[in-house]
Amino acid sequence: MDTDTGTDAGTGAVERAAARRMWHLLEPVHAVVYYAPEAYEEAAALGYGTAERRPAYFAWRAAPLGAAGAEETTAAFHSFSPDMVARYVPESWRIAAPDAVLAARTRAVTRTYAALLGPGADTPGVAEAATLARRVAGAAVPAGPLSAANAALPWPGEPAAALWQAATVIREHRGDGHLRALREAGLDPVESLVSFAAIGAAPPEVFASRGWTPTAWEAARSRLAARGLVDAAGAATGAGRELRAQVERRTDELAAEPWRVLSDDEREHLAKALEPFWVAAIGSGLLPGVNTLGIGKV
């Protein structure tokens, strides 16, 4: 394993950087569906409220777990307040069964990319991208419940939907590895968010979407201050920045494993094939300009 010294360290750094680059390309491909009008329409047809994003979001993302309860979903999602999760789960499954949600999710993906790309959503290049991404997804040894559950789903026949599913498996594999890195760093769910905000990944108010109360946020900040990770103003200390850097390195290290199934040329070919999807997702204006993942900041 990479020890940050010598040739092996250089190789490890290259692999980590490649994994992070591919995450930056694939994340918009995955995430745009949570914001797309077509997805809201499919959610409304199932009976979910669409005045806000959360009812459909929890249903779309948790459905691969089956009719999971609030505790199981909270553990899998990690950064959300248990109280927030309990507002939507298991109520999600009283509205629609997980299998119905998954079928609607695939329809939402297909419709979203048809709207974003038009005829470009059904071309040989998309099919080729789906094939390459699916190879990576197949090499992703499940790191936790969300990656395992998505990897076990049948593959859609439409190339764009297959690409989205592969992106989702890869994305959740990275996410599950990130949770492992946070646990290794001794950061609980709310501390993970507070420490991330402290290094400038996003303003604290952006993380309000995770449902933690101001009291819980301040208590986490106090715990981090007691460890010397944030200062009195809540900004990361040198130790706090180094700990978060370790978390990101460890996340990239774990995320790099499945990418080894592709050659450098194949990975570049996939990156090029993803460009229309990435450009369409970003250019749609659907995705938030500031996100809780720290993309573009960390």
Side-chain angles (χ1 to χ4, degrees), residues 1-13 15-16 180 184 249-257 260:
M1 195 59 68
D2 178 12
T3 60
D4 288 334
T5 59
T7 303
D8 289 343
T11 301
E15 290 182 338
R16 291 197 305 269
R180 174 178 169 181
E184 290 173 355
R249 285 196 297 271
R250 181 61 169 149
T251 300
D252 289 339
E253 177 184 280
L254 294 169
E257 291 290 336
R260 293 177 181 138

Side-chain angles (χ1 to χ4, degrees), residues 232-298:
T237 62
R241 289 188 173 278
E242 177 53 31
L243 185 67
R244 286 301 317 200
Q246 290 175 10
V247 167
E248 296 304 316
R249 285 196 297 271
R250 181 61 169 149
T251 300
D252 289 339
E253 177 184 280
L254 294 169
E257 291 290 336
W259 287 102
R260 293 177 181 138
V261 75
L262 297 185
S263 69
D264 290 347
D265 286 346
E266 287 173 325
R267 189 172 60 244
E268 287 305 312
H269 194 72
L270 175 57
K272 184 66 175 176
L274 287 172
E275 187 173 312
F277 282 82
W278 185 87
V279 170
I282 297 296
S284 70
L286 295 171
L287 295 170
V290 181
N291 58 76
T292 58
L293 300 179
I295 294 178
K297 298 288 187 180
V298 176

Side-chain angles (χ1 to χ4, degrees), residues 90-177:
E91 176 64 21
S92 293
W93 319 131
R94 286 191 280 270
I95 296 170
D99 284 350
V101 173
L102 289 170
R105 187 175 83 166
T106 298
R107 291 194 300 272
V109 170
T110 303
R111 292 181 57 204
T112 294
Y113 276 103
L116 289 176
L117 295 174
D122 187 18
T123 65
V126 174
E128 188 173 8
T131 298
L132 289 170
R134 186 170 172 177
R135 281 176 57 194
V136 179
V141 177
L146 285 171
S147 54
N150 279 281
L153 296 175
W155 287 89
E158 300 87 351
L163 175 58
W164 186 86
Q165 182 159 316
T168 299
V169 172
I170 296 165
R171 190 258 189 207
E172 297 293 14
H173 174 268
R174 180 186 179 87
D176 286 338

Side-chain angles (χ1 to χ4, degrees), residues 182-271:
L182 290 168
R183 288 192 295 268
E184 290 173 355
L187 295 170
D188 69 24
V190 65
E191 290 168 356
S192 300
L193 300 180
V194 174
S195 64
F196 208 33
I199 64 169
E205 56 267 24
V206 171
F207 295 100
S209 64
R210 296 303 189 250
W212 297 98
T213 65
T215 299
W217 187 272
E218 289 303 321
R221 182 179 287 176
S222 294
R223 294 194 298 273
L224 294 176
R227 293 172 60 184
L229 300 176
V230 300
D231 62 21
T237 62
R241 289 188 173 278
E242 177 53 31
L243 185 67
R244 286 301 317 200
Q246 290 175 10
V247 167
E248 296 304 316
R249 285 196 297 271
R250 181 61 169 149
T251 300
D252 289 339
E253 177 184 280
L254 294 169
E257 291 290 336
W259 287 102
R260 293 177 181 138
V261 75
L262 297 185
S263 69
D264 290 347
D265 286 346
E266 287 173 325
R267 189 172 60 244
E268 287 305 312
H269 194 72
L270 175 57

Side-chain angles (χ1 to χ4, degrees), residues 76-101:
F77 283 30
H78 183 73
S79 66
F80 286 87
S81 158
D83 290 341
M84 171 174 270
V85 177
R87 285 202 295 274
Y88 301 108
V89 178
E91 176 64 21
S92 293
W93 319 131
R94 286 191 280 270
I95 296 170
D99 284 350
V101 173

